[in-house]
Amino acid sequence: METQGSIGDWTTCSADPHYRAAVLDLLGALAYGELSAFERLADDAKLAPGLADKAALARMAAAEFQHYQLLHDRLAEIGADPTEAMTPFVEPLESFHRVTAPSDWLEGLVKAYVGDSIATDFYREVAVRLDDDTRDLVLRVMGDTGHAEFAVDKVRQAITENPRVGGRLALWGRRLMGEALGQAQRVVAERDALSNLLVGGARVAGFDLVEVGKMFNRITEAHTKRMSALGLAS
Amino acid sequence: METQGSIGDWTTCSADPHYRAAVLDLLGALAYGELSAFERLADDAKLAPGLADKAALARMAAAEFQHYQLLHDRLAEIGADPTEAMTPFVEPLESFHRVTAPSDWLEGLVKAYVGDSIATDFYREVAVRLDDDTRDLVLRVMGDTGHAEFAVDKVRQAITENPRVGGRLALWGRRLMGEALGQAQRVVAERDALSNLLVGGARVAGFDLVEVGKMFNRITEAHTKRMSALGLAS
């Protein structure tokens, strides 16, 4: 992750139509990501072994929805149609969820943890390349929903109680990361403006596949470290 | 619905163990009702015909969760175990949901509307019999989540586009009310303290089946009127 100074505020930056298109894509992707996270967490709540766990998942789902609302309102504020901005990202995310439906409570927790963490890494990568106003919003919705800590506690406990669970969940974590990368690469291939923003900021015009690859590598490395810390060899 | 003055605050009223038990039951039932409403709305969001409708349902689900949180926190505040307080109401509510799973988006909307409305009627019946502190909380979580208006608009529009939809949904509304009454009567039969509170307030000791029946009749009448207003003969 490189550090760089402010590139200006939204009013200045959005005068460039490429920049504007990239931010609409980014906010649309994040907004649908939050709405989708809401749905998955609400679904996982059903698998909860007890009422307290169910309520904990529902609480996180409600927090994701609040993030969605902020992104939605921002899209409307800058004159975009939120539904239109989200639409290109519906199919990639739904495809991901279709092929990675958790078969039990623990798989659901690992998936939510992995998903949240990848999203946070991704936000961090992109935040430094954004205008001040968009960056403030992205950092705000990146705020922890308490999910990570909850999932880590429950998964560690389950592995302690039954070490064989670890092997199964390690495999699951690997599969999740593979599918996530596959879908992300699909999005990158289809959304030029967004991809340019990801790798070079507003000032880079050419599409740099090598830079995109490096970003994915950084995210994969962070994932690997997290899985190890969780007691899951990835 | 009768009007009556204040019966005092929580500290005064809860000195009576029967009153305290009844309020724990009431808050437990409401809390699980909200958590359950959250889950159903999140489920219905999946049936939404578009992203805007999906987000509208998710927004309502998140609002129900906030209500759940208030009830949960109040239970903890008065020294009760929220999980324990909710437990007796899990099975009746889940039974209701099992036998009334909506088969499409419109059935989901009608169910949520009917459920919300019955719950509101019920809150209103019981609010007048509560101590000031509990009443304030009940009136607060009774606040409209915007659900009713949304459902009414969508259902009316669907009936206008295809009048035959009305017949099917009228039948569905009748079935929902029948199942809801059945489960409510089961709860009343099993929870003496709660039932006494419902029909006579803290000061009535005997269980009065006639009064319970009258309350159910008032709620059924209100339901019938609402269905007619919606263009659904019930």
Side-chain angles (χ1 to χ4, degrees):
Chain A
M1 184 176 14
E2 73 193 273
T3 54
Q4 57 186 65
S6 168
I7 61 165
D9 65 8
W10 169 250
T11 312
T12 315
C13 294
S14 62
D16 172 2
H18 296 290
Y19 183 79
R20 185 183 156 83
V23 169
L24 293 200
D25 260 14
L26 180 70
L27 298 182
L30 294 187
Y32 191 71
E34 297 285 3
L35 195 54
S36 180
F38 164 86
E39 280 198 315
R40 299 303 138 188
L41 285 167
D43 245 9
D44 290 349
K46 283 188 228 155
L47 300 169
L51 280 179
D53 286 332
K54 186 192 282 293
L57 267 271
R59 181 172 304 114
M60 295 166 203
E64 304 285 8
F65 182 79
Q66 305 308 331
H67 293 170
Y68 160 79
Q69 190 69 58
L70 288 170
L71 292 158
H72 170 279
D73 293 351
R74 176 63 179 166
L75 280 163
E77 192 188 342
I78 60 179
D81 177 338
T83 297
E84 212 174 284
M86 288 190 280
T87 300
F89 307 101
V90 172
E91 180 42 34
L93 257 167
E94 292 310 305
S95 291
F96 172 71
H97 287 308
R98 245 193 322 274
V99 295
T100 59
S103 67
D104 64 16
W105 167 244
L106 288 173
E107 286 191 5
L109 286 180
V110 171
K111 178 174 170 180
Y113 174 58
V114 168
D116 248 31
S117 306
I118 297 176
T120 304
D121 288 344
F122 172 78
Y123 290 171
R124 287 215 177 101
E125 288 275 346
V126 80
V128 293
R129 307 174 192 280
L130 293 169
D131 66 274
D132 304 341
D133 301 305
T134 308
R135 184 174 55 235
D136 287 350
L137 174 62
V138 166
L139 293 175
R140 196 168 159 201
V141 299
M142 188 180 116
D144 187 19
T145 56
H147 208 143
E149 204 187 339
F150 179 82
V152 168
D153 283 355
K154 297 282 170 182
V155 171
R156 281 228 179 93
Q157 194 184 325
I159 296 174
T160 307
E161 283 166 15
N162 179 4
R164 290 178 55 194
V165 163
R168 175 166 70 86
L169 293 179
L171 208 65
W172 174 243
R174 211 143 57 220
R175 202 170 130 224
L176 289 169
M177 193 64 199
E179 297 288 353
L181 283 175
Q183 291 302 331
Q185 267 149 353
R186 234 183 94 190
V187 169
V188 162
E190 283 168 10
R191 309 297 298 177
D192 279 0
L194 179 61
S195 307
N196 282 336
L197 177 72
L198 293 182
V199 297
R203 286 160 299 189
V204 174
F207 176 77
D208 190 337
L209 205 59
V210 177
E211 279 305 317
V212 172
K214 282 187 191 164
M215 186 187 77
F216 283 151
N217 285 346
R218 286 191 294 273
I219 293 179
T220 306
E221 275 167 29
H223 166 77
T224 307
K225 277 186 198 152
R226 271 191 304 267
M227 291 294 101
S228 300
L230 196 54
L232 303 178
S234 64
Chain B
M1 183 177 12
E2 72 193 273
T3 53
Q4 57 187 64
S6 168
I7 60 165
D9 65 8
W10 168 251
T11 311
T12 315
C13 293
S14 63
D16 172 3
H18 296 290
Y19 183 79
R20 184 183 156 83
V23 169
L24 293 199
D25 260 15
L26 180 71
L27 297 182
L30 295 186
Y32 191 70
E34 298 286 3
L35 195 54
S36 179
F38 165 85
E39 279 199 316
R40 299 304 138 186
L41 286 166
D43 244 8
D44 289 350
K46 283 188 227 155
L47 300 169
L51 279 179
D53 285 333
K54 186 193 280 294
L57 268 270
R59 182 172 303 115
M60 294 168 204
E64 304 285 8
F65 182 79
Q66 305 308 331
H67 292 169
Y68 161 79
Q69 191 68 57
L70 289 171
L71 292 159
H72 169 279
D73 293 350
R74 176 63 180 164
L75 279 163
E77 192 187 342
I78 60 178
D81 176 339
T83 297
E84 211 174 284
M86 288 191 279
T87 300
F89 307 101
V90 172
E91 179 42 33
L93 257 168
E94 291 311 305
S95 291
F96 172 72
H97 287 308
R98 247 195 320 273
V99 295
T100 60
S103 67
D104 64 16
W105 167 243
L106 288 172
E107 286 192 5
L109 286 180
V110 170
K111 178 173 169 180
Y113 174 57
V114 167
D116 248 31
S117 306
I118 296 175
T120 304
D121 288 344
F122 172 79
Y123 290 170
R124 288 215 177 101
E125 288 274 346
V126 81
V128 292
R129 307 173 193 280
L130 293 170
D131 66 274
D132 304 341
D133 301 305
T134 307
R135 184 174 57 236
D136 287 351
L137 174 62
V138 166
L139 292 175
R140 196 168 159 200
V141 299
M142 188 179 116
D144 188 18
T145 55
H147 207 145
E149 204 186 338
F150 179 83
V152 167
D153 282 356
K154 298 283 170 181
V155 170
R156 279 226 180 96
Q157 194 185 322
I159 296 174
T160 306
E161 284 166 15
N162 178 6
R164 289 178 56 194
V165 163
R168 175 167 69 86
L169 292 180
L171 209 65
W172 174 243
R174 214 143 55 220
R175 204 174 127 220
L176 288 170
M177 192 65 200
E179 297 288 354
L181 284 175
Q183 292 302 331
Q185 268 150 351
R186 233 182 95 190
V187 168
V188 162
E190 284 169 9
R191 311 296 298 179
D192 278 1
L194 179 61
S195 306
N196 282 334
L197 177 72
L198 294 182
V199 297
R203 285 160 301 189
V204 175
F207 176 75
D208 190 336
L209 205 60
V210 176
E211 279 304 318
V212 173
K214 281 186 190 163
M215 187 188 77
F216 283 151
N217 284 347
R218 287 191 294 273
I219 293 179
T220 305
E221 275 167 29
H223 166 77
T224 307
K225 277 185 198 153
R226 272 191 303 265
M227 291 293 100
S228 298
L230 196 55
L232 303 178
S234 65

